[in-house]
Amino acid sequence: MKKIMILIALTALGSCAKYLDVVPDNISTIDNAFTMRTEAEKFLYTCYSYMPRDGDLTADPAILGGDEMWALTDPGFPEFDHNMFNIARGLQNTVNPYGEGSWVSLYRGLRDCNIFLENIGKVPDLEINERKEWIAEVKFLKAWYHFYLLRMYGPIPIIKENLPIDVDIAKVKVYRDPVDSCFQYITQLLDEAKNELPLNIDNPAKMLGRITRPIAYSLKAKVLVTAASPLFNGNSDQATLKNNNGVQLFNTTYSKDKWDSAVVACREAITVCHDAGLALYEYRPNVQQYKLTDTTTTQLSLRNVFTERWNSEIIWANTQSIASLIQRVATPNVDHRYIDNPRIVSELAPPLKIVEMFYTDKGVPITEDKTWFANKYALRSSGAGEELHIRNGYTSSALNFRREPRFYASLGFDGGVWYGQGQYDDSQPSTLYYVAAKKGQPNGKTNPDKGSMTGYFIKKYVHFQNTQSSGVTDYTITSYPWPMMRLAHLYLLFAEALNESQGPSPEVFQYVDLVRKRAGLEGVQYSWDTWSKFPGKYATQDGLREIIQREQLIELAFEGQRFWDLRRWKTAISEYRRPVEGWDIQQSVESFYYRPKVLINQTFSLKDYFFPIREATIVNNRNLVQNIGW
């Protein structure tokens, strides 16, 4: 019996050798894998090796699977496939579902996590405190893997422990567990783990990426906010989803208590993060070649919070997913001397609705700002005071003028200044690189396999110190592990939970305004009372909810959060029904280029809130019921 279990375990281990190290070839039994500390540590790393590659273009559905960016439908770039993009194009299916690899991989990971927990007590040379810490890390991983599947599929089979090899075949035919049971088990695991974990990493050179107390507390906060959100809290659309034994998988009764619990979890997580020394990031280098303006300093604070590895705001970053390729796919070649560089692909393209999502320079939506342009698509030429945002004298759309700092820190566009990449003196704006994206210009779309489909580029992904040298194939990338949770995200989750639990309050505004202040904006109350056509909007729970949700979408743009947030808020149907538009990129004259052009009308219905389970999986286990609509 043990031999069969060993063969199963080692089959899983063999596919994960790229993460640190795993159980070596000469370890032939599970018992031997736990005979000493060094071998047990390798098994611990194997449990980590199943972590989903967030931010990976080939593996993360939240990057290419939503409505936040558009890509080439006929790619000529061979370094990654576009399977996840097929979700955005409405091609999801039950025969060979896109993203289904997570179901297979994470259930293998859960099995190996259970093997670890069952056997770690056998290791003789492992100190008690380290044993407790490792157990806590693996319990956290079990919670994360269950939560990842729960977001994708809704109710899932919970894997608390591995089944014996001689178990009755009927016990193998598992059922999906109700959503509330899934959240309760995930929360239980995090509660068991969180206080056994270190506040900070003692050996950063070796151990960054390992789970800490702030990570565990923050994930619990995110889990409980998700559990309280409309997709999982009183979702009557899922009333007919039941197991074939009659068990209801969604509780269709709304519970305010879930928001109250989320408030407590968020508050605790913020306290722990502050105790660990985490703080909102601001760009303050020890050595600086040039004295920068406040405009550029604010932009670098906003850019580097995502691209500067292990900065003061990063609670959790995924060392399984290093942001290197995605930088090449996102950036235009702003050094126009070497425009033929094949390492720079410029493919990921935000649509106009994402561009319009960002606030004006007054910190309110463009549709609400009573001082903003009457025609958002009118042509304007940049002048004095605008040259750090748009190249002086360049004609562009009004949509690109007088926008908030996060707009300019996150997006590249025709005429937009792209600070860095080797040019750092912002006292000489004419020396800074810029984007020229109309047809016939250096960053215009000339090849079917290269260039933006909308005329916009994602600056947020690209480290400002990336450089291109004299060789046409040289592009030096400053890579970073993909940020999973930032302190600003936690602040906004807290504000969201507080508003849902208690309505508008000074504490809600406090945490939203901390994020806005770092972004160079005034507080919510001042901005809406002074500049909005709807002053006092923030005074109602519904109005403040809209403000907080938009603040999250802006602050976390392109970080892989919008895909899940639109789902948990149940706003995806209305958002996806807005067309994906870009500029008319085949035009070379401003008056023709700056005309919105529909690329596609996406489809999204109730069934798309959850991924389908592979048809063959259900055939093999008839106790697994398919998600509604599939």
Side-chain angles (χ1 to χ4, degrees), residues 109-178:
L110 288 169
R111 180 185 59 202
D112 280 355
C113 287
N114 286 335
I115 290 173
F116 179 91
L117 295 173
E118 291 165 2
N119 290 276
I120 190 62
K122 301 175 183 178
V123 183
D125 59 338
L126 188 60
E127 294 182 1
I128 293 176
N129 287 340
E130 190 168 39
R131 189 191 314 273
K132 289 181 178 179
E133 189 174 313
W134 289 9
I135 289 172
E137 289 180 70
V138 173
K139 285 184 176 181
F140 173 92
L141 292 173
K142 283 188 65 177
W144 173 236
Y145 297 163
H146 276 100
F147 179 60
Y148 198 96
L149 290 166
L150 178 60
R151 286 191 307 179
M152 291 181 70
Y153 294 97
I156 56 169
I158 297 173
I159 307 299
K160 294 185 178 181
E161 57 187 19
N162 292 339
L163 295 172
I165 202 66
D166 58 352
V167 71
D168 185 272
I169 190 64
K171 295 289 183 67
V172 178
K173 305 293 186 181
V174 295
Y175 291 94
R176 301 173 73 174
D177 286 285

Side-chain angles (χ1 to χ4, degrees), residues 326-367:
I326 200 168
Q327 296 192 59
R328 295 202 286 121
V329 181
T331 184
N333 191 339
V334 292
D335 188 340
H336 297 164
R337 296 172 297 174
Y338 312 114
I339 203 62
D340 293 330
N341 189 314
R343 286 175 51 79
I344 297 176
V345 184
S346 316
E347 181 182 333
L348 301 182
L352 288 181
K353 66 175 178 178
I354 300 300
V355 174
E356 295 179 7
M357 172 187 73
F358 288 85
Y359 294 138
T360 70
D361 58 351
K362 306 302 185 185
V364 297
I366 61 175
T367 55

Side-chain angles (χ1 to χ4, degrees), residues 491-543:
Y491 284 175
L492 293 173
L493 290 176
F494 185 36
E496 178 185 355
L498 275 171
N499 183 56
E500 297 299 335
S501 174
Q502 305 166 16
S505 70
E507 197 171 22
V508 176
F509 298 122
Q510 174 189 349
Y511 282 93
V512 177
D513 289 350
L514 283 171
V515 178
R516 289 172 63 89
K517 182 179 179 181
R518 195 265 304 280
L521 300 174
E522 297 285 354
V524 168
Q525 292 161 295
Y526 175 86
S527 297
W528 258 262
D529 284 344
T530 308
W531 307 114
S532 175
K533 298 173 185 176
F534 309 105
K537 177 179 178 178
Y538 55 80
T540 67
Q541 186 180 57
D542 289 345

